[in-house]
Amino acid sequence: MRNRLLGILLTLMACVLAALGVPLGYLMAAAEQSAVVVDRIDDAARFAQDLPTQGRSTAAMKGDALPVQGDTSRLHALSVEAARYHELYGARIGVFHRDGSAIAVAPADWHAPTGDSPGAEAFREALDGRRSHNPPQAWPWDEDRTLTVALPVVRDGDVVAVVITESPTGPLRSRILHRWLVIGAGEGLAMVVAVLLAVRLTGWVLRPVRTLDRATHDIATGRMNARVAPSGGPPELRRLARSFNEMADHVVFAMDQQRAFVADASHQLRNPLAALMLRVELLGLELPEGHDAELGAVREEGTRLARVLDDLLGLATAEHARPEPEPVDLTALVLARLDAWRPSAGQRGVDLVWDGPARAQGWADPIGFGSALDAVLDNAIKFTPAGERVSVTVAADKQEVAVTVADTGPGLTEEELERIGDRFWRSPRHQNVDGSGLGLSIARTLLLAGGGELSFSPVEPHGLAVTLAAPRRKTDL
């Protein structure tokens, strides 16, 4: 989400900068060329003013290109000035009669433009009495392009000569490119500032969302005391955080009420059940022979009901528990529990083996973790055939310590693996095995309350592996 929001903001900023920069670059190029054109027109006007045509008749000027007596020195000065102009600015300049013959020109071998060139068109427009308008725009990528400006010399309302300049556009294109680079650098700097602002803005907007997401994940994984601190971010997200906290409080209250009901009901049902079983035993003494099988079935159902009530009470107690995790040597804890379960495994002909480091410290509630391990070991021993073994492995990495209990029993299908751990769920293939279906639920609840987790995976070629994980360091529950 952060990357998508950043992408949208940066794309919008890039479009805005492009919408400002492209017209600005075009206008700047046009302004540079207009300045050159105006300068060349002023130069041409100055040469036109110096042309010695005053006092001559228009007919004479149109029909005779030669200067009259007394103008030779002024024409020579005009030629010298044109040569000097060409030397200084590198631009070709010429003063031509209407028929294209040169009056003063620099360089000396330059002739009036002819044909279809832009210079010839400007020359013809000048003969018609029009001075050059802004010629086509010169761009930095143009090659060997010149800028032609023609100005008519008008005496007594008639065009008697034309002053034309032809300037190379190399310096103009260099100036335009330099201005564009300045604009590009400015827009690049603006883009960097925009990126920094976008990153901070995105972080400010998404900080409450990340906090909300973390709290939601904690509650979804059983850490019901997770809440969102309603600080920072837009007002709508702060209001959402407060609503989330209120919702979490209501959910926790409802779950506490439900757990309290389960605990109370389990506790209250134990005494009537004990009384009922006592009456059954008394009735069994008075029954005639031949009813032992029915009496045994009643005793078995009563015992199973008592175990279910005990497990329900244990589950409610575990869900109410708020343990304080502490550093625990899980290797030592596992070895102690294996010693406790070894006699029971020996009675069933199951061998308990273990592997792992000499010490593996994790952050857990030792009582809760040990109770969860007891439930998993009990399950593994029950489903492992005699003569087989249950392997217990302790592994530690930087994040967590994992205790894996792998049996060699019948295992579970993929669909059953998705349901294992649900309350009262038992595989249809194992309904005749002793148990209430709450043992793994209690184990999962105890681990979650201590900051750990419980996971299941198949064992090849058959069997089930249950992993109890605890973090290496203290986590916020």
Side-chain angles (χ1 to χ4, degrees):
M1 183 175 180
R2 177 177 180 272
N3 292 335
R4 287 195 292 271
L5 186 57
L6 270 178
I8 293 173
L9 290 176
L10 294 181
T11 300
L12 291 176
M13 291 176 184
C15 291
V16 171
L17 290 177
L20 295 175
V22 172
L24 180 60
Y26 177 82
L27 293 176
M28 190 165 290
E32 287 289 337
Q33 177 164 312
S34 296
V36 174
V37 170
V38 170
D39 184 61
R40 296 296 180 268
I41 290 176
D42 291 343
D43 294 340
R46 182 166 56 83
F47 276 91
Q49 185 177 7
D50 294 342
L51 183 64
T53 56
Q54 285 79 357
R56 300 176 61 189
S57 65
T58 301
M61 288 185 291
K62 292 181 177 179
D64 186 5
L66 296 177
V68 298
Q69 187 176 3
D71 289 343
T72 303
S73 60
R74 295 182 61 185
L75 288 176
H76 176 71
L78 189 64
S79 298
V80 171
E81 187 175 357
R84 180 67 175 167
Y85 182 86
H86 173 66
E87 181 181 354
L88 287 177
Y89 301 107
R92 292 185 289 190
I93 185 168
V95 182
F96 298 98
H97 285 292
R98 290 181 57 86
D99 58 0
S101 58
I103 300 175
V105 66
D109 59 346
W110 190 44
H111 303 284
T114 58
D116 296 330
S117 64
E121 182 179 357
F123 190 83
R124 288 192 294 271
E125 290 178 353
L127 289 179
D128 293 337
R130 294 174 294 166
R131 70 179 185 180
S132 297
H133 296 287
N134 197 15
Q137 179 66 48
W139 301 109
W141 51 82
D142 291 340
E143 296 181 356
D144 299 331
R145 167 121 181 252
T146 57
L147 197 66
T148 303
V149 173
L151 183 71
V153 181
V154 180
R155 297 290 185 268
D156 299 331
D158 292 322
V159 177
V160 298
V162 173
V163 180
I164 184 169
T165 65
E166 193 173 85
S167 307
T169 58
L172 171 63
R173 288 184 282 121
S174 297
R175 288 197 300 274
I176 293 174
L177 181 59
H178 179 263
R179 296 295 182 90
W180 283 5
L181 290 177
V182 172
I183 294 175
E187 292 206 337
L189 180 61
M191 196 64 191
V192 171
V193 175
V195 169
L196 295 177
L197 291 176
V199 170
R200 291 185 63 85
L201 178 63
T202 305
W204 178 73
V205 170
L206 294 182
R207 188 179 301 114
V209 177
R210 288 196 296 269
T211 306
L212 187 62
D213 177 67
R214 188 164 50 248
T216 304
H217 177 266
D218 290 343
I219 290 179
T221 53
R223 301 178 178 89
M224 302 304 294
N225 57 344
R227 295 293 183 274
V228 179
S231 60
E236 293 81 1
L237 292 181
R238 293 200 298 269
R239 187 165 56 250
L240 177 62
R242 289 192 293 270
S243 300
F244 176 84
N245 289 339
E246 293 174 0
M247 180 195 69
D249 291 338
H250 287 303
V251 170
V252 170
F253 178 76
M255 293 181 66
D256 287 342
Q257 293 292 322
Q258 182 182 8
R259 292 165 184 163
F261 171 77
V262 172
D264 294 342
S266 302
H267 182 73
Q268 294 298 326
L269 286 175
R270 293 174 70 184
N271 292 334
L273 179 61
L276 178 62
M277 293 304 298
L278 180 60
R279 290 179 181 272
V280 168
E281 293 296 335
L282 293 176
L283 287 175
L285 296 177
E286 299 177 359
L287 285 176
E289 295 182 358
H291 297 277
D292 293 340
E294 289 80 1
L295 186 60
V298 172
R299 290 196 186 102
E300 183 179 352
E301 291 300 326
T303 304
R304 180 176 297 177
L305 180 58
R307 184 178 299 111
V308 170
L309 291 177
D310 290 341
D311 289 344
L312 279 175
L313 186 58
L315 179 62
T317 303
E319 290 179 340
H320 273 292
R322 295 291 184 270
E324 291 294 333
E326 59 185 71
V328 179
D329 182 2
L330 294 179
T331 295
L333 189 150
V334 168
L335 291 176
R337 298 319 305 158
L338 286 180
D339 290 340
W341 279 94
R342 210 173 296 278
S344 177
Q347 291 178 357
R348 292 176 176 265
V350 176
D351 189 18
L352 283 178
V353 297
W354 90 280
D355 185 23
R359 180 179 175 82
Q361 179 171 303
W363 201 274
D365 170 36
I367 298 177
F369 196 95
S371 300
L373 182 59
D374 287 343
V376 174
L377 285 172
D378 179 40
N379 222 42
I381 293 171
K382 280 191 301 186
F383 286 98
T384 300
E388 298 288 344
R389 67 179 184 179
V390 173
S391 302
V392 180
T393 306
V394 180
D397 57 20
K398 294 181 179 179
Q399 303 297 327
E400 64 181 16
V401 178
V403 178
T404 302
V405 179
D407 62 51
T408 53
L412 299 174
T413 63
E414 292 185 2
E415 293 77 10
E416 291 172 338
L417 280 175
E418 295 178 357
R419 295 204 56 192
I420 186 171
D422 294 347
R423 295 176 183 178
F424 297 109
W425 182 85
R426 303 177 66 189
S427 171
R429 296 178 291 134
H430 307 147
Q431 294 296 326
N432 58 341
V433 180
D434 188 24
S436 64
L438 289 173
L440 294 179
S441 299
I442 296 174
R444 172 175 286 170
T445 303
L446 291 173
L447 285 177
L448 287 177
E453 61 181 5
L454 189 69
S455 58
F456 307 92
S457 61
V459 173
E460 295 296 337
H462 55 82
L464 177 68
V466 184
T467 300
L468 303 87
R472 294 296 300 273
R473 297 175 180 81
K474 185 178 181 180
T475 58
D476 297 330
L477 298 178

